[in-house]
Amino acid sequence: MKVLIAGTGFAGQGHTDAFRWAGAEVVGIVGRTQSVVTDVATKMNIPYAETNWQTALDTCKPDVVSIATPGGAHYLPIKQAIEHGCHVFVDKPMTESGETAVELYELAQAKGVKTAYAASFRYAPSVLHAKQLVAAGAIGEPTEIECMSHFNLERDIPFGWSHRAEDGGGRLNNNFTHTLSIATSVVGDKILSISGEVRDDLGRAPIVEGVHNFATRRDFIPKDLNDPSLKWGESNVEWSYTVLAQLESEMATKPVSVLFKHGGLVPRFHEDNIVFYGTEGAIYIKGHYGSGQLYHFGADKTWVPLPLPQDIVDSTPDVPGETEKCWHFMVREFLRDIQGKTVPPYPTFKEGSEYQQYIDVIRRKSI
């Protein structure tokens, strides 16, 4: 299968590696700036580099497109790709709003193309392990879940898409999407209720030219923040949130309560974690996306570290980086599905459009 990539930064390059690893041919890449996209294409040995997405679709005739730009730049490229008959892999957030996400989901359904929504940390090995354990009854009936994270992000990271709701910024779009996907993948994906509150405790950020890659944005923090010539951009998104949800689970007689607590700008004291509680035990995973060690609390009333099962070890892509491992895993599932092979359910535009609607609701209740 031929794949066209939108985006030249960390995600675009990561998606390129993932599709190649899964056996696809990356035929082109599109970015905003010709010099940047040419440099990335040369570095990654991609034969075609362009700044016009429609031209690239017409020229490359891809079977699949991978959208790896900020969320506010997703709508039109996805719409054009669907009209072109392409299957679509999109990084989160799906779009900047529930309304546009639902429109794209319905367009994809009508066109009959496959879609994938990369809330992909549900494929972290310890999360897959937790899913197996919960399904096997290791905690009895699931009762509640906690997802706790504190990122302590630098307040002076240059102003960009992550500071603007219209560009797909905000911590709900870029953190909550993953943890919601993790929770639903383990206990059940039917959301019965959801509510929350958000807070912008940043306010503003310095405007700096030349930032093209999200992964290297810290390198551009101004050395003198008191420089009178420095310009500032105003944030209009949340940097902290608290969300409460209830999930329906086939493994439980009552709804499963979920707490999502995230502080983007506050320091952590202990490690971030995800915990699944049940009537007969609990599962604790280190890390904000559950990519650390898993512990089980059972009949002996002690927390016991468990090794990964061999089947999960064998299925985990052998690549560096937690994010990259999960991209590789999900891309492999997506391509197998396109090829007509049987694969377990994975997040699609259905989940992506629902998540954007939930985020809209949470934000409105906090105003």
Side-chain angles (χ1 to χ4, degrees):
M1 283 178 281
K2 296 190 295 182
V3 181
L4 177 65
I5 307 288
T8 58
F10 171 68
Q13 295 178 46
H15 289 194
T16 297
D17 289 338
F19 275 98
R20 283 175 165 169
W21 174 84
E25 177 189 4
V26 176
V27 294
I29 187 168
V30 176
R32 291 175 301 170
T33 307
Q34 189 62 57
S35 60
V36 173
V37 71
T38 298
D39 288 346
V40 172
T42 300
K43 181 182 73 172
M44 302 199 72
N45 196 28
I46 300 172
Y48 180 86
E50 177 59 79
T51 58
N52 186 289
W53 179 249
Q54 186 63 60
T55 299
L57 286 171
D58 294 338
T59 302
C60 295
K61 297 179 172 54
D63 304 298
V64 181
V65 300
S66 180
I67 309 297
T69 55
H74 286 177
Y75 172 76
L76 185 57
I78 292 175
K79 186 173 182 179
Q80 291 172 326
I82 292 171
E83 292 169 350
H84 207 277
C86 300
H87 306 294
V88 184
F89 183 95
V90 63
D91 219 301
K92 50 80 199 149
M94 184 170 159
T95 64
E96 88 298 343
S97 71
E99 181 181 2
T100 53
V102 169
E103 179 187 347
L104 293 178
Y105 167 57
E106 292 175 346
L107 285 173
Q109 289 289 100
K111 192 70 173 180
V113 297
K114 299 280 188 181
T115 61
Y117 168 67
S120 50
F121 272 99
R122 62 163 52 199
Y123 297 114
S126 287
V127 174
L128 295 174
H129 190 191
K131 184 175 182 177
Q132 284 187 1
L133 290 169
V134 172
I139 63 172
E141 289 190 19
T143 56
E144 58 182 292
I145 305 169
E146 293 176 352
C147 300
M148 310 295 290
S149 56
H150 312 83
F151 275 21
N152 202 25
L153 295 169
E154 295 92 334
R155 290 176 174 270
D156 302 314
I157 288 174
F159 186 75
W161 67 265
S162 62
H163 298 82
R164 298 188 293 263
E166 61 271 24
D167 290 339
R171 302 311 302 158
L172 287 170
N173 274 331
N174 298 285
N175 178 268
F176 174 66
T177 46
H178 280 304
T179 52
L180 179 57
S181 182
I182 288 169
T184 57
S185 73
V186 172
V187 303
D189 60 6
K190 185 174 182 181
I191 298 172
L192 301 175
S193 66
I194 195 161
S195 63
E197 61 177 26
V198 301
R199 185 178 67 256
D200 181 358
D201 40 13
L202 178 68
R204 67 174 192 168
I207 296 174
V208 180
E209 299 296 328
V211 183
H212 295 288
N213 190 327
F214 184 77
T216 60
R217 67 200 188 283
R218 291 174 175 83
D219 299 340
F220 293 83
I221 294 175
K223 290 182 173 58
D224 182 7
L225 294 168
N226 296 313
D227 184 346
S229 67
L230 193 62
K231 296 180 180 179
W232 296 83
E234 298 298 320
S235 166
N236 67 1
V237 292
E238 73 285 338
W239 291 86
S240 295
Y241 64 78
T242 302
V243 175
L244 300 175
Q246 285 189 321
L247 308 180
E248 183 176 281
S249 176
E250 294 181 353
M251 297 170 283
T253 55
K254 297 180 180 179
V256 179
S257 302
V258 193
L259 167 64
F260 302 92
K261 183 70 182 77
H262 175 70
L265 302 174
V266 298
R268 64 179 62 90
F269 182 70
H270 292 297
E271 68 274 352
D272 295 342
N273 59 81
I274 296 176
V275 192
F276 300 90
Y277 297 99
T279 56
E280 299 175 15
I283 291 168
Y284 177 103
I285 314 176
K286 288 185 177 182
H288 45 269
Y289 295 140
S291 44
Q293 176 64 50
L294 180 148
Y295 297 81
H296 176 241
F297 185 92
D300 58 1
K301 307 301 182 183
T302 59
W303 290 99
V304 179
L306 299 183
L308 284 172
Q310 192 59 45
D311 65 317
I312 293 178
V313 173
D314 293 340
S315 67
T316 300
D318 185 16
V319 296
E322 298 172 357
T323 303
E324 291 88 337
K325 277 183 171 66
C326 294
W327 276 335
H328 279 61
F329 195 114
M330 187 169 179
V331 163
R332 179 179 60 195
E333 298 296 284
F334 184 46
L335 292 184
R336 285 175 174 173
D337 188 27
I338 294 172
Q339 293 165 344
K341 298 177 182 178
T342 301
V343 299
Y346 56 85
T348 68
F349 278 17
K350 177 181 182 295
E351 287 74 20
S353 61
E354 290 173 351
Y355 286 18
Q356 294 309 131
Q357 292 177 84
Y358 299 144
I359 289 169
D360 287 350
V361 167
I362 294 164
R363 285 174 169 170
R364 281 199 300 268
K365 287 188 176 181
S366 297
I367 294 173

